[in-house]
Amino acid sequence: MKKISLVLFMIAANGLSAQMLMMGGDEFEIGGVNYSNVPNLGDTEVTNFGADGGLARPFGKGFLGIRINYQNFDFSFNESTNIIDFSTYENMNLVQANVFYRRPLKNSWSMTISFGSSLISNLEGDISTEDFVINTIGLLSKKWGDRGRHSVLSFGALYGTQFGQPTLLPVVSFRQKLNEQWSYSIGLPITGINYKINKKNRLSFTLQPQGIYGNNSGEVLFESGTLTNSKLQYNALRTGISYRYKILPFLSALVEGGYLPLVNLRILDKDNNEIYDFNPDSSAYFNVGLRFGIDMKKSNSKNDSDEN
């Protein structure tokens, strides 16, 4: 009797695109927690804590799933140099929920569709539509090669806050697994390379955008008057090297360090007109976390045994 297994997926902080477009290997992540710090964007420090996870199960000829992501961003502004009170922008919360569907097509093609909404707000006032941002992605992918060495070409579009303000972006990615040790991905929005040292150790280099577009639901006094539902736009180009150590078969520790060469930090009104520019400097950053995952090689072997 064929066993229908529950398949768990993790979608990274940047959404479904990160999971789909980054080279993976033989392990699917099902969730995790992270803590990161950007110590010096000029007069601003940014800390971030997050937790994410998801699940999916067979649905028709494909897989239907849901993912949940929570992130808290804390901005420490240098108050001694500010003539405006930015205290209500210091804490931004992101709660994201997405439903996704992935289905194989003919001739090694597949499609992925994800749709959801993100609440990104300081939660100072009543929750309104200004606190929500739609995030969606649609992809078509073509795979060729065998399990030991294969390539995947993906293209489509996404709508999200990777570059700060919600924007429609093209997605083009080519990723390839060269052998058991090396894999890479080239494209937009993510480029990177993986080196699997052995069963427990892995190094990765990535280049990708990161951004939020948080709503200040309270009132803030500026020279131009009192504003409600103003926005904090923060986005950066993130270049980093990460090291992952597998503590247990289902649990890995992650340490990452890198640099943000391009950073944008601004306050906008609700019509996206600039009110204040912090003129942030480039900065180093670090990130640590725990990731939970399943070994797809073992899972597939077990399913094959159950079917025989």
Side-chain angles (χ1 to χ4, degrees):
M1 178 177 178
K2 183 177 180 179
K3 180 179 178 180
I4 300 178
S5 60
L6 179 67
V7 183
L8 299 174
F9 290 82
M10 183 285 301
I11 311 299
N14 280 329
L16 183 62
S17 59
Q19 176 76 5
M20 293 304 302
L21 300 178
M22 192 58 199
M23 54 289 156
D26 298 306
E27 182 177 297
F28 273 114
E29 293 182 334
I30 63 176
V33 295
N34 68 278
Y35 172 82
S36 66
N37 177 263
V38 183
N40 186 18
L41 292 175
D43 294 322
T44 304
E45 178 183 4
V46 185
T47 57
N48 165 233
F49 169 79
D52 56 82
L55 57 85
R57 65 179 307 162
F59 182 80
K61 296 183 178 180
F63 283 90
L64 180 67
I66 186 172
R67 68 179 182 85
I68 304 294
N69 178 25
Y70 172 75
Q71 302 287 324
N72 176 266
F73 292 86
D74 184 80
F75 295 83
S76 297
F77 303 109
N78 187 346
E79 297 180 358
S80 64
T81 61
N82 294 334
I83 59 175
I84 302 171
D85 181 11
F86 294 119
S87 60
T88 56
Y89 296 95
E90 290 181 347
N91 196 273
M92 288 289 172
N93 296 276
L94 181 151
V95 181
Q96 184 181 65
N98 273 70
V99 174
F100 65 91
Y101 179 67
R102 186 178 186 185
R103 176 176 174 173
L105 304 174
K106 295 181 179 180
N107 300 320
S108 299
W109 285 87
S110 64
M111 72 170 184
T112 302
I113 299 173
S114 174
F115 181 82
S117 181
S118 300
L119 184 153
I120 316 176
S121 174
N122 65 345
L123 302 177
E124 289 283 333
D126 295 335
I127 295 177
S128 70
T129 56
E130 292 288 340
D131 295 305
F132 290 89
V133 174
I134 298 297
N135 43 269
T136 184
I137 182 171
L139 288 177
L140 284 175
S141 300
K142 169 70 173 180
K143 180 179 179 179
W144 62 94
D146 54 31
R147 186 174 183 85
R149 179 187 174 98
H150 60 260
S151 304
V152 180
L153 175 66
S154 300
F155 57 92
L158 66 85
Y159 183 83
T161 60
Q162 284 84 354
F163 289 92
Q165 295 183 38
T167 306
L168 181 64
L169 296 169
V171 175
V172 179
S173 173
F174 176 78
R175 65 187 190 274
Q176 186 175 59
K177 181 179 179 181
L178 299 174
N179 49 46
E180 289 298 321
Q181 285 75 44
W182 290 95
S183 58
Y184 69 91
S185 176
I186 299 175
L188 180 71
I190 300 172
T191 292
I193 187 168
N194 274 345
Y195 175 58
K196 185 177 180 181
I197 302 172
N198 51 42
K199 292 182 178 180
K200 288 192 173 184
N201 299 274
R202 191 174 78 185
L203 288 172
S204 300
F205 168 80
T206 55
L207 174 68
Q208 61 181 313
Q210 178 189 34
I212 67 166
Y213 180 76
N215 183 55
N216 186 337
S217 54
E219 294 185 347
V220 184
L221 180 62
F222 289 91
E223 293 181 354
S224 57
T226 301
L227 297 179
T228 57
N229 293 315
S230 54
K231 314 297 182 182
L232 180 68
Q233 176 186 331
Y234 167 62
N235 59 284
L237 180 64
R238 182 169 173 166
T239 62
I241 297 176
S242 64
Y243 168 71
R244 183 174 300 214
Y245 176 74
K246 183 172 288 189
I247 304 170
L248 297 169
F250 58 87
L251 177 64
S252 297
L254 175 70
V255 178
E256 179 184 358
Y259 193 68
L260 308 178
L262 301 174
V263 187
N264 191 12
L265 183 61
R266 302 186 299 164
I267 292 176
L268 312 174
D269 65 19
K270 64 180 181 180
D271 297 318
N272 292 327
N273 298 308
E274 183 179 300
I275 301 298
Y276 188 87
D277 191 339
F278 290 91
N279 293 310
D281 296 333
S282 302
S283 175
Y285 77 91
F286 73 88
N287 176 53
V288 294
L290 292 174
R291 310 307 305 174
F292 300 89
I294 54 175
D295 191 322
M296 295 305 294
K297 278 186 175 180
K298 294 181 179 180
S299 178
N300 290 338
S301 297
K302 186 177 187 301
N303 287 340
D304 292 340
S305 298
D306 291 337
E307 291 173 9
N308 293 330

